[in-house]
Amino acid sequence: MSLLPKHKLAELADRHDLYQRSVQNTETEIDFILETWNGLRRRPAELLREDFCGTANTACEWVRRDPGHFAIGIDLDREVLQWGQQHNVSHLSSEEQHRLELINGNVLDDLQERSDIVLAMNFSYFLFRTRNELREYFSSVHAGLAKDGMFFLDAYGGYDAPRELEETRDCDDFVYIWNQAEFNPIDSCMICHIHFEFADGSRMDKAFSYYWRLWTLPEIREILLEAGFRRADVYWEGTDEGTEEGNGEYQSREIGEADAGWVCYIVAQT
Ligand SMILES: C[S@@+](CC[C@H](N)C(=O)[O-])C[C@H]1O[C@@H](n2cnc3c(N)ncnc32)[C@H](O)[C@@H]1O
């Protein structure tokens, strides 16, 4: 009898589970959204639409937070929605599940319902690679928001962003690998992959791949205004004085640091 395990850890792992555990932090994301909304509006936000929702992890966190919260998640990929339904939505109470709707569709589709908040997180909108495509998406978000609605996006950049490189980060029982495989300086488009590596040396290569444009903050803000938003503010992360690392606190700022790598939020108001 062989004592060697039959299966490599990579074969036993689930890519959506690994993604959620390594890339997302839905609690801090919803904390930021609520704090920002409550600081700028006198009424509570009710309906949140999560564009490019994938496993709908953030939409689930929204409905869990408050019995007055409703959410819509939209994604083109039926398989990822089914995974989200099975692993995230099914863990909500039946009352919470009634306040959540998943739509297998395109974020460009016109929805009847007007949302208080629309989210486009983890740079998903970078897949629109021309100004016209991005403006069309931002215009459809604008049209889908309430009169006092807000659009929350994130963005990344820094002098390492347009480079071909691999970065690793230790997660509990696996290593997350971010691979900027190809960058074309002529159109600013790039191919990136997420790989995962396990303690037995096995790997899940190209668990996720992206072909997108590395947009700059001034471009994104200009296009948001062209699409009809009244303002588009950048929320930049503060620095912990002890470690010189980001402190997880995001404030509206006009001047940021020229770091190697940064992630920020953009909040656009109708
Ligand atoms: C980067 S992943 C989602 C990330 C997730 N929003 C998060 O915060 O981690 C991008 C998702 O967008 C979906 N997608 C791509 N184009 C889309 C479109 N036009 N409309 C709706 N979903 C789309 C893909 O199926 C994929 O699940």
Side-chain angles (χ1 to χ4, degrees):
M1 193 179 92
S2 165
L3 290 177
L4 288 174
K6 268 204 192 109
H7 293 287
K8 296 281 185 197
L9 291 171
E11 290 164 13
L12 300 171
D14 179 320
R15 69 188 188 116
H16 296 303
D17 173 57
L18 298 170
Y19 178 90
Q20 290 193 163
R21 288 161 60 203
S22 55
V23 175
Q24 293 191 309
N25 190 334
T26 58
E27 282 179 34
T28 53
E29 204 154 275
I30 294 295
D31 285 346
F32 171 74
I33 289 160
L34 281 171
E35 198 180 304
T36 307
W37 176 278
N38 292 334
L40 294 168
R41 295 287 179 268
R42 284 165 187 272
R43 68 172 185 95
E46 292 176 350
L47 179 59
L48 174 144
R49 184 179 110 196
E50 186 186 6
D51 280 355
F52 314 99
C53 71
T55 61
N57 206 9
T58 313
C60 287
E61 178 63 18
W62 180 254
V63 298
R64 249 195 313 266
R65 278 300 170 97
D66 191 298
H69 284 176
F70 296 79
I72 298 172
I74 306 178
D75 202 287
L76 270 184
D77 181 355
R78 192 181 296 276
E79 184 261 332
V80 73
L81 287 177
Q82 277 167 357
W83 192 98
Q85 180 68 40
Q86 206 180 331
H87 295 85
N88 292 331
V89 179
S90 70
H91 294 153
L92 298 173
S93 71
S94 63
E95 188 279 325
E96 288 163 345
Q97 291 187 32
H98 277 107
R99 291 186 276 108
L100 172 66
E101 183 188 2
L102 297 187
I103 298 176
N104 182 208
N106 195 316
V107 295
L108 297 169
D109 293 343
D110 184 21
L111 291 185
Q112 295 300 315
E113 217 121 16
R114 297 283 162 266
S115 305
D116 297 319
I117 291 171
V118 174
L119 304 185
M121 291 299 182
N122 276 312
F123 332 114
S124 311
Y125 65 96
F126 279 17
L127 62 85
F128 296 116
R129 292 185 293 276
T130 66
R131 287 184 79 98
N132 282 345
E133 284 171 10
L134 191 59
R135 193 184 315 102
E136 189 193 348
Y137 169 56
F138 287 170
S139 299
S140 86
V141 171
H142 187 270
L145 277 167
K147 276 208 291 282
D148 58 350
M150 283 184 208
F151 181 28
F152 288 79
L153 313 77
D154 56 8
Y156 78 96
Y159 55 83
D160 272 349
R163 290 180 57 207
E164 295 174 351
L165 54 73
E166 225 174 58
E167 281 172 3
T168 59
R169 178 160 43 84
D170 272 327
C171 298
D172 285 345
D173 49 354
F174 62 93
V175 176
Y176 163 89
I177 302 164
W178 173 247
N179 176 205
Q180 294 171 186
E182 288 177 40
F183 177 78
N184 177 358
I186 294 179
D187 61 8
S188 202
C189 287
M190 59 197 307
I191 296 173
C192 303
H193 307 291
I194 293 175
H195 317 292
F196 298 108
E197 195 173 86
F198 300 86
D200 61 0
S202 62
R203 280 173 68 104
M204 192 188 286
D205 277 309
K206 298 185 182 172
F208 296 92
S209 295
Y210 307 102
Y211 174 40
W212 62 27
R213 174 160 165 183
L214 183 65
W215 290 94
T216 65
L217 290 175
E219 288 170 319
I220 297 164
R221 296 177 88 184
E222 283 162 15
I223 299 168
L224 284 164
L225 298 185
E226 286 166 21
F229 286 92
R230 189 166 48 84
R231 55 186 301 161
D233 296 303
V234 171
Y235 283 67
W236 196 260
E237 192 176 9
T239 307
D240 181 297
E241 284 177 10
T243 62
E244 292 288 312
E245 297 289 323
N247 63 4
E249 300 284 327
Y250 291 82
Q251 305 279 346
S252 173
R253 299 232 321 243
E254 284 301 325
I255 297 178
E257 288 81 32
D259 290 336
W262 47 258
V263 174
C264 70
Y265 289 111
I266 303 162
V267 181
Q269 299 185 48
T270 50

